[in-house]
Amino acid sequence: MQGSRFAFGPFVLDSAAGTLLRNEVPVAIGYRALQLLAALVARPGEILGKAELMDAAWPGAVVEEGNLTVQIALLRKLLGPAADGSQWIATVPRVGYRFVGAVQQLGSARRPLPLPDKPSIAVLPFINLSNDPEQETFADGLTEDLITDLSRNSGLFVIARNSAFVYKGKAMDVRGIAQDLGVRYLLEGSARRAAGRVRINAQLVDAANGDHLWAERFDRSLEDIFAVQDEVTGKIVQALLGRLREPASRRRPANIEAYDLCVRARKLMDDSPQTAQEAHLMLTRAVALDPGYAEAYRWLAMNHWMGWVHSGGPTEPDRDAALELARKAVSLDPDDAGCRWVLAYLLAYGRSFTEADAEFARAIALDPNEADTWAALSDIAVLAGRIEEGLEYIRKAFRLNPFPASWYYLALGQAQYAAGDYEAAIETLRRDETYRTSSRRFLAASLAQLGRLDEARAEVELFLVGNPLFTIGHWASSEPLRDAATLEHFVDGYRKAGLPE
């Protein structure tokens, strides 16, 4: 999956690792040139337009076409001629470029993840068998809920939903997926929803030998969907552990439309102001339809918090609203680990540290497999000056969620910067998963600390396009900083990079 490598002639390109080898010897290649080469070799023989290539190498920036010409010339010089004397990259006049050499896609260079010391499972995205493509949301919600239900059992190791959904719509053998994720068991299934009925097929596979441990079909009224989820979860736990170990029951939504809206909204929960506004409308509607739906309140709380911290907008109203919504979510479903970690996170940002620490501990006790809890806890620990602890937490989050949301990379890059490992932070923060987000502020600071001021200021310029109200003062006043040396270290990097005071 991610981290695919490409071989052509004497070269092997690994764009995820940021390396180019010639006869197994590393080649010095700049970041922009590597991004261009990765875009070209991923689609050999195809014509890639100039605009598409510039977006690959300078995402989110407006640059002169001459920059592309310069980088292509550098690439040609670096690669040299192919065996037949021709150029690897052909110019298509007035249109763009294409890669003309034979390319072989190699498997991932990632080392296989070791299996945990407990039964490990990933729930693959359920296939929507309905004629209506709108029911895709229902199938996705079913998958996500099963992941949440299984993850609450401390006897299992459960891969998070971000990583499971990497495989949506992709054909791969179960053994390859299990190796990618470092698990032994996979749950596969399909769902069909129509005329108030739902049909679900599910099967549990041992990826080590391909054996089917359990399979069943459920044909029920749509009103029974959450009971079906509970039944599927129970049977999987029984198959893997030999007996049922029931955690405290979750409160289920009472309104299926509210449920659908929440499933749609949580896919939009990143730090893009545009998608955050769309998610806000969906979640507000979900709460209106089902005032007892804890998860909708939880995500609405995060939606308010993202506006408070990232947009530079009015601090107190958004902070108070976020915290009130998070407390409401916990009051509605005190046994939901997701609601607990969100409350803990917001309490920390409100500097109620004792209460925050207690809520984080409760969230972990309820669901030790909730990767988001560990990633959020990493952020809080690093800004408290407990940097090694923060690094340990974010590594744990990545193991549970090997293909996570962009903010995991932000948390990792922040921790690496705090530890003074600037090169590692730059590598992390330039990954495609996080590069276009607000993590650029940490990238700029890391570059500045290494004296790469021109690069740092270019990143600041791009960052401020998406975050025009950002100031160092607002950041320092809104972050849960508990350690003066850590604060000074971040502020020093920001100032060197040229971020506004």
Side-chain angles (χ1 to χ4, degrees), residues 37-225:
L37 183 59
L40 287 162
V41 300
R43 293 158 60 185
E46 292 186 40
I47 299 171
L48 273 66
K50 294 177 182 179
E52 183 177 359
L53 288 168
M54 287 191 287
D55 188 56
W58 295 272
V62 178
V63 297
E64 296 291 332
E65 191 177 302
N67 290 290
L68 176 61
T69 305
V70 168
Q71 292 294 331
I72 292 291
L74 289 172
L75 266 178
R76 285 172 170 159
K77 182 177 180 181
L78 184 146
L79 296 174
D84 62 1
S86 65
Q87 294 282 355
W88 290 104
I89 302 170
T91 301
V92 181
R94 297 184 298 279
V95 179
Y97 301 89
R98 65 187 177 91
F99 196 84
V100 296
V103 177
Q104 178 186 4
Q105 184 168 357
L106 306 176
S108 171
R110 292 166 43 129
R111 294 179 181 175
L113 295 168
L115 290 176
D117 58 359
K118 58 177 74 172
S120 51
I121 184 171
V123 182
L124 298 182
F126 273 49
I127 299 168
N128 171 32
L129 296 181
S130 303
N131 294 325
D132 182 3
E134 288 294 317
Q135 299 306 327
E136 199 75 27
T137 298
F138 175 77
D140 290 350
L142 173 62
T143 307
E144 293 171 356
D145 278 355
L146 288 172
I147 291 170
T148 299
D149 291 342
L150 287 168
S151 116
R152 298 170 75 239
N153 194 299
S154 61
L156 298 177
F157 179 95
V158 184
I159 291 294
R161 61 185 176 220
N162 289 85
S163 296
F165 274 84
V166 166
Y167 302 92
K168 184 177 173 68
K170 292 181 168 50
M172 277 189 69
D173 68 281
V174 293
R175 183 167 297 181
I177 295 173
Q179 288 177 346
D180 267 2
L181 297 176
V183 297
R184 177 162 181 177
Y185 304 101
L186 295 173
L187 180 69
E188 302 176 297
S190 62
R192 182 190 299 275
R193 170 179 160 182
R197 302 287 299 177
V198 61
R199 174 173 291 176
I200 295 170
N201 290 287
Q203 59 181 4
L204 181 64
V205 181
D206 184 339
N209 52 31
D211 288 349
H212 287 65
L213 303 182
W214 166 79
E216 195 160 332
R217 186 176 79 177
F218 303 85
D219 196 345
R220 306 280 178 82
S221 165
L222 185 58
E223 296 174 355
D224 298 330
I225 180 58

Side-chain angles (χ1 to χ4, degrees), residues 247-466:
S249 60
R250 294 171 62 205
R251 278 200 63 171
R252 301 296 195 173
N255 183 289
I256 199 70
E257 184 182 348
Y259 173 74
D260 286 346
L261 285 165
C262 194
V263 171
R264 293 177 191 274
R266 65 193 181 202
K267 293 179 181 177
L268 303 174
M269 296 298 294
D270 58 21
D271 56 1
S272 158
Q274 294 76 23
T275 57
Q277 289 172 10
E278 189 177 351
H280 180 85
L281 294 173
M282 292 179 180
L283 292 166
T284 302
R285 174 66 177 158
V287 166
L289 288 169
D290 188 350
Y293 188 11
E295 189 175 2
Y297 284 99
R298 158 193 169 188
W299 290 120
L300 194 54
M302 286 299 291
N303 185 266
H304 278 273
W305 173 82
M306 287 159 67
W308 157 43
V309 172
H310 293 303
S311 74
T315 299
E316 290 301 326
D318 284 342
R319 181 176 68 183
D320 293 346
L323 194 54
E324 182 180 348
L325 288 162
R327 289 192 187 280
K328 175 73 170 177
V330 169
S331 71
L332 288 169
D333 195 349
D335 293 317
D336 186 288
C339 294
R340 290 281 182 183
W341 82 251
V342 167
L343 176 58
Y345 199 53
L346 300 187
L347 285 166
Y349 270 83
R351 291 181 165 77
S352 297
F353 295 122
T354 300
E355 191 180 356
D357 292 344
E359 290 293 345
F360 269 122
R362 179 64 177 148
I364 291 167
L366 285 166
D367 186 351
N369 290 301
E370 176 58 81
D372 286 356
T373 303
W374 296 108
L377 191 52
S378 171
D379 178 33
I380 302 306
V382 166
L383 295 177
R386 306 194 307 272
I387 296 164
E388 286 304 316
E389 197 177 312
L391 284 165
E392 178 187 346
Y393 293 151
I394 193 62
R395 290 179 188 128
K396 184 173 290 191
F398 268 91
R399 179 60 187 91
L400 286 161
N401 199 357
F403 303 116
S406 63
W407 66 276
Y408 279 50
Y409 291 95
L410 183 153
L412 175 58
Q414 173 184 261
Q416 290 166 331
Y417 174 89
D421 194 352
Y422 305 125
E423 292 284 2
I426 290 167
E427 182 179 348
T428 295
L429 297 167
R430 275 187 164 157
R431 290 182 63 98
D432 282 347
E433 294 91 339
T434 196
Y435 180 63
R436 296 168 184 81
T437 73
S438 64
S439 68
R440 271 199 176 112
R441 64 185 185 267
F442 300 125
L443 173 58
S446 300
L447 290 163
Q449 293 291 12
L450 292 176
R452 295 159 62 174
L453 297 181
D454 288 344
E455 290 179 77
R457 283 163 189 155
E459 296 299 344
V460 164
E461 186 177 343
L462 290 170
F463 171 72
L464 291 175
V465 169

